[in-house]
């Protein structure tokens, strides 16, 4: 039983890594191509979660789609966080205000990071659920177009 649990966890991380790498590559490519400076598109995170959910359903490995898709979302959203975090930290560190104002800025940066992590996890989860649904209903989808 313990070996089975270990195998499911390993499968979860494998699928999360595959979907997360797809998501991260798409996020980076999209934002380098569009040259966005003030905002960062997370469409790739949704696609990475979709890939994760689709692959898990295809393998029918009994792997938890939710966990894997959340992991893919967190990994796929990390380039956006890496893009925005250094200027925010620099803003807090180089602030000329009082220590209480700098502390408030630091709290807002931590709040931003937390919201970003929750948001990317939810986007990945949504993509994973849709990916699993599409795989499970692909015969239904193909029948309407064929």
């Amino acid at each position: 039983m313990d070996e089975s649990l270990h195998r499911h966890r390993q499968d979860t991380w494998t699928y999360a890594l595959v979907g997360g790498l797809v998501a991260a590559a798409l996020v980076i490519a999209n934002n380098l191509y569009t040259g966005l400076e003030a905002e960062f598109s997370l469409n790739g995170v949704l696609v990475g979660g979709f890939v994760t959910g689709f692959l898990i359903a295809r393998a029918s490995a009994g792997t938890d789609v939710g966990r894997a898709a959340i992991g893919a979302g967190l990994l796929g959203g990390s380039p956006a966080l890496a893009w925005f975090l250094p200027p925010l930290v620099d803003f807090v560190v180089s602030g000329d205000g009082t220590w209480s104002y700098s502390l408030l800025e630091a709290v807002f940066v931590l709040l931003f990071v937390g919201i970003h992590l929750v948001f990317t996890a939810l986007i990945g989860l949504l993509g994973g659920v849709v990916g699993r649904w599409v795989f499970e209903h692909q015969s239904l989808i193909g029948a309407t177009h064929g």
Side-chain angles (χ1 to χ4, degrees), residues 30-55:
N30 178 61
N31 290 291
L32 287 176
Y33 176 73
T34 58
L36 297 175
E37 295 294 326
E39 56 187 71
F40 212 83
S41 174
L42 295 174
N43 294 336
V45 175
L46 186 65
V47 174
F50 179 89
V51 167
T52 300
F54 191 87
L55 290 176

Side-chain angles (χ1 to χ4, degrees), residues 9-97:
R9 284 184 180 166
Q10 185 179 5
D11 288 347
T12 300
W13 282 109
T14 301
Y15 288 114
L17 186 61
V18 169
L21 290 175
V22 167
L26 290 173
V27 166
I28 291 169
N30 178 61
N31 290 291
L32 287 176
Y33 176 73
T34 58
L36 297 175
E37 295 294 326
E39 56 187 71
F40 212 83
S41 174
L42 295 174
N43 294 336
V45 175
L46 186 65
V47 174
F50 179 89
V51 167
T52 300
F54 191 87
L55 290 176
I56 288 174
R58 182 173 172 235
S60 65
T63 305
D64 184 10
V65 173
R67 279 190 178 167
I70 287 172
L74 291 171
L75 181 61
S78 61
L81 188 59
W83 185 279
F84 278 115
L85 199 54
L88 290 174
V89 170
D90 186 46
F91 175 70
V92 171
V93 171
S94 67
D96 293 332

Side-chain angles (χ1 to χ4, degrees), residues 84-125:
F84 278 115
L85 199 54
L88 290 174
V89 170
D90 186 46
F91 175 70
V92 171
V93 171
S94 67
D96 293 332
T98 63
W99 69 269
S100 60
Y101 184 71
S102 295
L103 183 63
L104 183 63
E105 289 173 335
V107 168
F108 279 123
V109 168
L110 290 175
L111 185 64
F112 170 78
V113 169
I115 290 170
H116 174 81
L117 292 174
V118 168
F119 194 63
T120 56
L122 289 175
I123 292 172
L125 178 61

